[in-house]
Amino acid sequence: MRLLPTLPLLTQYGPFTGVRATRCVGFATLAFTLLLWLNIGVVVLVGCNDDTSIIVPESDARTALSDVADISAVENDSAAIEDTSSDVFDPEADRRARLEAFCPVDSVEVEARIDVLMEELTLEEKTQLMVGTGAFPEDGVYASAGVERLELPGIRMVDGPRGVSHDTGNATVFPVAMARAATWDPELERSIGQAIAIETAARGGDVLLAPTTNILRHPRWGRAQETYGEDPVQLTAFGVAFVQGVQAEGVMASAKHYAANSIEDTRFDVDVAIDERTLRELYLPHFEAMVRDAHLASLMTSYNAVNGDFCSENSQLLSILKDEWGFLGFVESDWIFGTYNTVKAANAGLDIEMPVPKIYGPALESAVEKGDVDESRVDAAVRRILRAQLCYSLDSSPKVKDPTRVETAAHLQLSREAATRAMVLLKNANGLLPLASDTADVVLVGPFANVPNLGDNGSSEATPTNPVTPYEGLVEVLGESQVLLLEDTETEESQAALAAASVIVAVVGLSAADEGEGMIAAGDRPDMQLPEDQRVLLEALAAQDVPVVVVMFGGTAITVESWFESADAVVMAWYPGAEGGHAIADVLLGVEAPYGRMPIAVPVAESDLPPFDNVSLEVTYDYWHGYRHLDREGTTARFPLGYGLTYSTLEYTAMRLSSDTATTDETIRVAVDVTNTGDRLVNALVQVYSSGGVDVERAVKDLRAFDRLDVPPGETKTAEIDVSVRAIARYWTDEGWQEEPGDYVLRAGAHADALSLQSNLLVSGSPR
């Protein structure tokens, strides 16, 4: 039996603060003793037969206490916990509330049925439920095993970060996640999650293997297009919205890849060394929010190791997930090469091995029989698997295929809206854009002018029926006679056509040949530039006495220094999905004003960023990447986080706080006035950052919140944005979360390097 030194662990969740708990769990018996030290805010649970303990923050202590069943397979056991506040916490009520939020149907009935099933299942059947059934998709989906005798159907999984996997047939293909992040519009992302879920169900899927919510540490990562950016605040907003949208349609979302996954070429072997502060503050918050706020149903581990242990058998990561955050769903491995050791994986908390049994199945059954794995570990996994199946009614209401719900007019329109809003106007010299709707003699050049360019050909690949190219989009508006497509710009005839053009639109960028998933697609990028032949093309076009609009495809940051100054206008189109050609035309011709803002900081040169090592099998992820790294080094970004032009002019004129003093329990409302001094309606992005704190080195500024609002011409509108004071003040130490009272500065503006407004905030500690 052990007692821990007093040091409160504080989190941003819940009304209680200043409480510390430890939990001891014995697999044979559970015997708890509560010891309350009222004056110093500590709760210690002691008295386990194996003398083990888990240290958790106060708000997580409720989770740990109320979800003991997932360790012990005694679902109804719970213990009381007290604290020094006036509220009395009821762990059993908390457990019920979390189950009700997680389960779309009656959670009490589900848990009771699980109890019955656990009595009926044999060990062989339990381990059978914990494996996939085939290395290749069957009827378009991957499945985990069921138990026919008990009418348990298993779980059918399908990929789909930008649309339901091509394995199932055609689907609505949306812009990639990085493009959608450029909208800075989580409500739009929620709608996209719903649409993809509807098509997932229509193709027979129970689980959508999305969203990808990995921090973009470096833009050369091959799968950067699948995630939402470099900052955990933005990843949190979009990840939560997507999961909520998916699960609102009765489909389980599976967030991936947990955790610290952002290299392709060595992804199966690389060990990421990361200190706990960096892990907790940057690489895990978005996963935590999806669990707590969106009631995530499923999570996929990543291939890589973290601090010496592969993620599918990483007891630290899986304990944080289940014991601290109270995750109620199931954890599956990444496919084929994602599992390694039977005993380590089972004891760490991997629930399902996909897509076939290598270390589970008979191997796991044998490990239990030999005593290497306690059967309670298997029971805990099976309870999670059954909970998912029954909460989502896979046994009573199996998905019915319905092709009429795929590629509907509404979903195609949503894809077009998302693509249009994702476009980022990076340059617009002399107001070249928008082009007039009757513009004649438009010449299109470049490798992607009339070629569908939808993104990676790896597991995220989705196939539309009728993808729209930029040429097709412009022809639909301007007419075929006014748009000339040149596939070869070096002939004498082509040179004459270029010289006679009113405007040249060069469609360049990256494709699936340049970036994508490792081993099964292109892998990591060799550098951050456009391919050399495209740079040569743009330099040649600059010699023409004709305005040049550059439209770029790609999944993340592209450096532009060799040609940017000679271009008249530049638009980042990302991989814009099936309706991308229409969206490009909408923006170039002014049907829609540019809405997108950069979800990442783009450097002037790749050397401005930390090195990207996709060769070594041991790498270190420190605290500094993206805009945080640039700020620390005093280096100016070419395009800062949140940068983007529009077809009007905006002024950020005033900032007010609801209070200039606050405790860490409180939320501050930040009001920011934005004036449209131009002549057309535009939508403004407002970002709020914080600076301050001396206890540990912090970023020069940290993004804390953001919002968007329409601003009509000549008017001033106010964005009202809530900011958690605890998020501003807290940081991770060896003893857990700490909060630093003191003076902080809140800054607001259009993007990370245009924070023209600021207010001071005095933060005091939480009242005891």
Side-chain angles (χ1 to χ4, degrees), residues 28-52:
T29 62
L30 295 172
F32 294 123
T33 302
L34 285 176
L35 175 63
L36 176 64
W37 293 353
L38 291 174
N39 292 331
I40 48 180
V42 176
V43 176
V44 184
L45 277 69
V46 296
C48 269
N49 64 342
D50 63 353
D51 196 35
T52 60

PDB file of all heavy atoms in Angstrom, residues 28-52:
ATOM      1  N   ALA A  28      -7.675 -10.128  -9.407  1.00  0.00           N
ATOM      2  CA  ALA A  28      -8.450 -11.163  -8.730  1.00  0.00           C
ATOM      3  C   ALA A  28      -9.510 -10.546  -7.840  1.00  0.00           C
ATOM      4  O   ALA A  28     -10.657 -10.971  -7.812  1.00  0.00           O
ATOM      5  CB  ALA A  28      -7.526 -12.063  -7.914  1.00  0.00           C
ATOM      6  N   THR A  29      -9.101  -9.546  -7.065  1.00  0.00           N
ATOM      7  CA  THR A  29     -10.048  -8.900  -6.159  1.00  0.00           C
ATOM      8  C   THR A  29      -9.836  -7.406  -6.212  1.00  0.00           C
ATOM      9  O   THR A  29      -8.785  -6.918  -6.606  1.00  0.00           O
ATOM     10  CB  THR A  29      -9.850  -9.382  -4.708  1.00  0.00           C
ATOM     11  OG1 THR A  29      -8.549  -9.009  -4.287  1.00  0.00           O
ATOM     12  CG2 THR A  29     -10.053 -10.877  -4.582  1.00  0.00           C
ATOM     13  N   LEU A  30     -10.829  -6.671  -5.795  1.00  0.00           N
ATOM     14  CA  LEU A  30     -10.732  -5.219  -5.710  1.00  0.00           C
ATOM     15  C   LEU A  30     -11.103  -4.813  -4.290  1.00  0.00           C
ATOM     16  O   LEU A  30     -12.213  -5.086  -3.845  1.00  0.00           O
ATOM     17  CB  LEU A  30     -11.687  -4.545  -6.704  1.00  0.00           C
ATOM     18  CG  LEU A  30     -11.381  -4.787  -8.175  1.00  0.00           C
ATOM     19  CD1 LEU A  30     -12.509  -4.245  -9.025  1.00  0.00           C
ATOM     20  CD2 LEU A  30     -10.072  -4.140  -8.554  1.00  0.00           C
ATOM     21  N   ALA A  31     -10.163  -4.220  -3.586  1.00  0.00           N
ATOM     22  CA  ALA A  31     -10.469  -3.768  -2.231  1.00  0.00           C
ATOM     23  C   ALA A  31      -9.935  -2.364  -2.074  1.00  0.00           C
ATOM     24  O   ALA A  31      -8.742  -2.130  -2.130  1.00  0.00           O
ATOM     25  CB  ALA A  31      -9.807  -4.696  -1.204  1.00  0.00           C
ATOM     26  N   PHE A  32     -10.841  -1.416  -1.972  1.00  0.00           N
ATOM     27  CA  PHE A  32     -10.445  -0.016  -1.956  1.00  0.00           C
ATOM     28  C   PHE A  32     -10.620   0.587  -0.557  1.00  0.00           C
ATOM     29  O   PHE A  32     -11.555   0.259   0.149  1.00  0.00           O
ATOM     30  CB  PHE A  32     -11.294   0.807  -2.929  1.00  0.00           C
ATOM     31  CG  PHE A  32     -11.097   0.451  -4.358  1.00  0.00           C
ATOM     32  CD1 PHE A  32     -12.157   0.062  -5.157  1.00  0.00           C
ATOM     33  CD2 PHE A  32      -9.828   0.497  -4.921  1.00  0.00           C
ATOM     34  CE1 PHE A  32     -11.963  -0.251  -6.469  1.00  0.00           C
ATOM     35  CE2 PHE A  32      -9.645   0.176  -6.234  1.00  0.00           C
ATOM     36  CZ  PHE A  32     -10.710  -0.204  -7.023  1.00  0.00           C
ATOM     37  N   THR A  33      -9.710   1.453  -0.211  1.00  0.00           N
ATOM     38  CA  THR A  33      -9.855   2.270   0.980  1.00  0.00           C
ATOM     39  C   THR A  33      -9.691   3.724   0.581  1.00  0.00           C
ATOM     40  O   THR A  33      -8.777   4.053  -0.164  1.00  0.00           O
ATOM     41  CB  THR A  33      -8.774   1.933   2.023  1.00  0.00           C
ATOM     42  OG1 THR A  33      -8.883   0.558   2.349  1.00  0.00           O
ATOM     43  CG2 THR A  33      -8.962   2.782   3.277  1.00  0.00           C
ATOM     44  N   LEU A  34     -10.589   4.560   1.031  1.00  0.00           N
ATOM     45  CA  LEU A  34     -10.501   5.975   0.706  1.00  0.00           C
ATOM     46  C   LEU A  34      -9.819   6.720   1.846  1.00  0.00           C
ATOM     47  O   LEU A  34     -10.153   6.522   3.005  1.00  0.00           O
ATOM     48  CB  LEU A  34     -11.902   6.566   0.494  1.00  0.00           C
ATOM     49  CG  LEU A  34     -12.587   6.207  -0.816  1.00  0.00           C
ATOM     50  CD1 LEU A  34     -13.994   6.787  -0.824  1.00  0.00           C
ATOM     51  CD2 LEU A  34     -11.792   6.745  -1.978  1.00  0.00           C
ATOM     52  N   LEU A  35      -8.890   7.567   1.473  1.00  0.00           N
ATOM     53  CA  LEU A  35      -8.260   8.435   2.450  1.00  0.00           C
ATOM     54  C   LEU A  35      -8.352   9.858   1.930  1.00  0.00           C
ATOM     55  O   LEU A  35      -7.863  10.149   0.842  1.00  0.00           O
ATOM     56  CB  LEU A  35      -6.787   8.047   2.633  1.00  0.00           C
ATOM     57  CG  LEU A  35      -5.964   8.968   3.568  1.00  0.00           C
ATOM     58  CD1 LEU A  35      -6.541   8.902   4.976  1.00  0.00           C
ATOM     59  CD2 LEU A  35      -4.512   8.551   3.545  1.00  0.00           C
ATOM     60  N   LEU A  36      -9.003  10.721   2.658  1.00  0.00           N
ATOM     61  CA  LEU A  36      -9.225  12.092   2.199  1.00  0.00           C
ATOM     62  C   LEU A  36      -8.421  13.056   3.051  1.00  0.00           C
ATOM     63  O   LEU A  36      -8.582  13.109   4.263  1.00  0.00           O
ATOM     64  CB  LEU A  36     -10.720  12.427   2.299  1.00  0.00           C
ATOM     65  CG  LEU A  36     -11.101  13.874   1.938  1.00  0.00           C
ATOM     66  CD1 LEU A  36     -10.771  14.114   0.471  1.00  0.00           C
ATOM     67  CD2 LEU A  36     -12.572  14.097   2.207  1.00  0.00           C
ATOM     68  N   TRP A  37      -7.536  13.810   2.415  1.00  0.00           N
ATOM     69  CA  TRP A  37      -6.807  14.861   3.094  1.00  0.00           C
ATOM     70  C   TRP A  37      -7.456  16.177   2.710  1.00  0.00           C
ATOM     71  O   TRP A  37      -7.136  16.780   1.703  1.00  0.00           O
ATOM     72  CB  TRP A  37      -5.332  14.864   2.675  1.00  0.00           C
ATOM     73  CG  TRP A  37      -4.585  13.661   3.135  1.00  0.00           C
ATOM     74  CD1 TRP A  37      -5.037  12.687   3.968  1.00  0.00           C
ATOM     75  CD2 TRP A  37      -3.244  13.300   2.769  1.00  0.00           C
ATOM     76  NE1 TRP A  37      -4.089  11.744   4.149  1.00  0.00           N
ATOM     77  CE2 TRP A  37      -2.970  12.091   3.425  1.00  0.00           C
ATOM     78  CE3 TRP A  37      -2.267  13.887   1.968  1.00  0.00           C
ATOM     79  CZ2 TRP A  37      -1.754  11.453   3.307  1.00  0.00           C
ATOM     80  CZ3 TRP A  37      -1.067  13.252   1.844  1.00  0.00           C
ATOM     81  CH2 TRP A  37      -0.803  12.039   2.514  1.00  0.00           C
ATOM     82  N   LEU A  38      -8.380  16.654   3.507  1.00  0.00           N
ATOM     83  CA  LEU A  38      -9.233  17.775   3.121  1.00  0.00           C
ATOM     84  C   LEU A  38      -8.437  19.061   2.922  1.00  0.00           C
ATOM     85  O   LEU A  38      -8.737  19.851   2.038  1.00  0.00           O
ATOM     86  CB  LEU A  38     -10.319  17.981   4.179  1.00  0.00           C
ATOM     87  CG  LEU A  38     -11.369  16.872   4.255  1.00  0.00           C
ATOM     88  CD1 LEU A  38     -12.289  17.104   5.431  1.00  0.00           C
ATOM     89  CD2 LEU A  38     -12.179  16.823   2.969  1.00  0.00           C
ATOM     90  N   ASN A  39      -7.439  19.284   3.742  1.00  0.00           N
ATOM     91  CA  ASN A  39      -6.771  20.572   3.702  1.00  0.00           C
ATOM     92  C   ASN A  39      -5.889  20.751   2.472  1.00  0.00           C
ATOM     93  O   ASN A  39      -5.564  21.862   2.098  1.00  0.00           O
ATOM     94  CB  ASN A  39      -5.917  20.768   4.961  1.00  0.00           C
ATOM     95  CG  ASN A  39      -6.784  20.918   6.190  1.00  0.00           C
ATOM     96  OD1 ASN A  39      -7.908  21.396   6.095  1.00  0.00           O
ATOM     97  ND2 ASN A  39      -6.261  20.501   7.338  1.00  0.00           N
ATOM     98  N   ILE A  40      -5.476  19.642   1.844  1.00  0.00           N
ATOM     99  CA  ILE A  40      -4.564  19.775   0.716  1.00  0.00           C
ATOM    100  C   ILE A  40      -5.123  19.177  -0.545  1.00  0.00           C
ATOM    101  O   ILE A  40      -4.439  19.074  -1.548  1.00  0.00           O
ATOM    102  CB  ILE A  40      -3.194  19.150   1.043  1.00  0.00           C
ATOM    103  CG1 ILE A  40      -3.365  17.762   1.648  1.00  0.00           C
ATOM    104  CG2 ILE A  40      -2.411  20.036   1.961  1.00  0.00           C
ATOM    105  CD1 ILE A  40      -2.044  17.097   1.999  1.00  0.00           C
ATOM    106  N   GLY A  41      -6.388  18.810  -0.526  1.00  0.00           N
ATOM    107  CA  GLY A  41      -7.054  18.438  -1.761  1.00  0.00           C
ATOM    108  C   GLY A  41      -6.531  17.196  -2.409  1.00  0.00           C
ATOM    109  O   GLY A  41      -6.289  17.174  -3.607  1.00  0.00           O
ATOM    110  N   VAL A  42      -6.309  16.141  -1.638  1.00  0.00           N
ATOM    111  CA  VAL A  42      -5.788  14.924  -2.223  1.00  0.00           C
ATOM    112  C   VAL A  42      -6.700  13.767  -1.886  1.00  0.00           C
ATOM    113  O   VAL A  42      -7.161  13.624  -0.768  1.00  0.00           O
ATOM    114  CB  VAL A  42      -4.376  14.601  -1.688  1.00  0.00           C
ATOM    115  CG1 VAL A  42      -3.887  13.283  -2.246  1.00  0.00           C
ATOM    116  CG2 VAL A  42      -3.422  15.712  -2.038  1.00  0.00           C
ATOM    117  N   VAL A  43      -6.979  12.938  -2.874  1.00  0.00           N
ATOM    118  CA  VAL A  43      -7.697  11.700  -2.624  1.00  0.00           C
ATOM    119  C   VAL A  43      -6.805  10.563  -3.078  1.00  0.00           C
ATOM    120  O   VAL A  43      -6.295  10.575  -4.189  1.00  0.00           O
ATOM    121  CB  VAL A  43      -9.026  11.659  -3.393  1.00  0.00           C
ATOM    122  CG1 VAL A  43      -9.692  10.315  -3.190  1.00  0.00           C
ATOM    123  CG2 VAL A  43      -9.938  12.763  -2.896  1.00  0.00           C
ATOM    124  N   VAL A  44      -6.597   9.581  -2.208  1.00  0.00           N
ATOM    125  CA  VAL A  44      -5.770   8.438  -2.556  1.00  0.00           C
ATOM    126  C   VAL A  44      -6.575   7.174  -2.314  1.00  0.00           C
ATOM    127  O   VAL A  44      -7.167   7.015  -1.253  1.00  0.00           O
ATOM    128  CB  VAL A  44      -4.482   8.399  -1.705  1.00  0.00           C
ATOM    129  CG1 VAL A  44      -3.593   7.253  -2.151  1.00  0.00           C
ATOM    130  CG2 VAL A  44      -3.745   9.722  -1.791  1.00  0.00           C
ATOM    131  N   LEU A  45      -6.629   6.324  -3.305  1.00  0.00           N
ATOM    132  CA  LEU A  45      -7.278   5.032  -3.148  1.00  0.00           C
ATOM    133  C   LEU A  45      -6.190   3.995  -2.972  1.00  0.00           C
ATOM    134  O   LEU A  45      -5.303   3.883  -3.813  1.00  0.00           O
ATOM    135  CB  LEU A  45      -8.121   4.683  -4.374  1.00  0.00           C
ATOM    136  CG  LEU A  45      -9.527   5.289  -4.435  1.00  0.00           C
ATOM    137  CD1 LEU A  45      -9.445   6.778  -4.643  1.00  0.00           C
ATOM    138  CD2 LEU A  45     -10.290   4.651  -5.578  1.00  0.00           C
ATOM    139  N   VAL A  46      -6.263   3.272  -1.879  1.00  0.00           N
ATOM    140  CA  VAL A  46      -5.200   2.316  -1.596  1.00  0.00           C
ATOM    141  C   VAL A  46      -5.809   0.993  -1.198  1.00  0.00           C
ATOM    142  O   VAL A  46      -6.989   0.896  -0.888  1.00  0.00           O
ATOM    143  CB  VAL A  46      -4.282   2.826  -0.470  1.00  0.00           C
ATOM    144  CG1 VAL A  46      -3.567   4.085  -0.885  1.00  0.00           C
ATOM    145  CG2 VAL A  46      -5.094   3.074   0.802  1.00  0.00           C
ATOM    146  N   GLY A  47      -4.991  -0.056  -1.196  1.00  0.00           N
ATOM    147  CA  GLY A  47      -5.457  -1.326  -0.681  1.00  0.00           C
ATOM    148  C   GLY A  47      -5.708  -2.373  -1.730  1.00  0.00           C
ATOM    149  O   GLY A  47      -6.624  -3.159  -1.605  1.00  0.00           O
ATOM    150  N   CYS A  48      -4.909  -2.408  -2.800  1.00  0.00           N
ATOM    151  CA  CYS A  48      -5.049  -3.442  -3.823  1.00  0.00           C
ATOM    152  C   CYS A  48      -4.131  -4.604  -3.508  1.00  0.00           C
ATOM    153  O   CYS A  48      -3.046  -4.428  -2.979  1.00  0.00           O
ATOM    154  CB  CYS A  48      -4.675  -2.889  -5.189  1.00  0.00           C
ATOM    155  SG  CYS A  48      -6.070  -2.208  -6.041  1.00  0.00           S
ATOM    156  N   ASN A  49      -4.568  -5.790  -3.939  1.00  0.00           N
ATOM    157  CA  ASN A  49      -3.742  -6.946  -3.628  1.00  0.00           C
ATOM    158  C   ASN A  49      -2.465  -6.998  -4.449  1.00  0.00           C
ATOM    159  O   ASN A  49      -1.542  -7.711  -4.107  1.00  0.00           O
ATOM    160  CB  ASN A  49      -4.540  -8.245  -3.813  1.00  0.00           C
ATOM    161  CG  ASN A  49      -4.949  -8.454  -5.255  1.00  0.00           C
ATOM    162  OD1 ASN A  49      -4.941  -7.526  -6.051  1.00  0.00           O
ATOM    163  ND2 ASN A  49      -5.330  -9.675  -5.590  1.00  0.00           N
ATOM    164  N   ASP A  50      -2.413  -6.215  -5.573  1.00  0.00           N
ATOM    165  CA  ASP A  50      -1.170  -6.229  -6.335  1.00  0.00           C
ATOM    166  C   ASP A  50      -0.353  -4.966  -6.137  1.00  0.00           C
ATOM    167  O   ASP A  50       0.684  -4.785  -6.751  1.00  0.00           O
ATOM    168  CB  ASP A  50      -1.433  -6.443  -7.837  1.00  0.00           C
ATOM    169  CG  ASP A  50      -2.238  -5.304  -8.432  1.00  0.00           C
ATOM    170  OD1 ASP A  50      -2.685  -4.438  -7.668  1.00  0.00           O
ATOM    171  OD2 ASP A  50      -2.393  -5.302  -9.665  1.00  0.00           O
ATOM    172  N   ASP A  51      -0.868  -4.060  -5.254  1.00  0.00           N
ATOM    173  CA  ASP A  51      -0.116  -2.870  -4.886  1.00  0.00           C
ATOM    174  C   ASP A  51       0.316  -2.048  -6.093  1.00  0.00           C
ATOM    175  O   ASP A  51       1.423  -1.564  -6.179  1.00  0.00           O
ATOM    176  CB  ASP A  51       1.122  -3.252  -4.069  1.00  0.00           C
ATOM    177  CG  ASP A  51       1.701  -2.033  -3.335  1.00  0.00           C
ATOM    178  OD1 ASP A  51       0.905  -1.178  -2.915  1.00  0.00           O
ATOM    179  OD2 ASP A  51       2.934  -1.968  -3.205  1.00  0.00           O
ATOM    180  N   THR A  52      -0.569  -1.932  -7.066  1.00  0.00           N
ATOM    181  CA  THR A  52      -0.293  -1.081  -8.216  1.00  0.00           C
ATOM    182  C   THR A  52      -1.164   0.145  -8.155  1.00  0.00           C
ATOM    183  O   THR A  52      -2.195   0.157  -7.514  1.00  0.00           O
ATOM    184  CB  THR A  52      -0.559  -1.816  -9.544  1.00  0.00           C
ATOM    185  OG1 THR A  52      -1.924  -2.205  -9.557  1.00  0.00           O
ATOM    186  CG2 THR A  52       0.338  -3.013  -9.690  1.00  0.00           C
TER     187      THR A  52
END
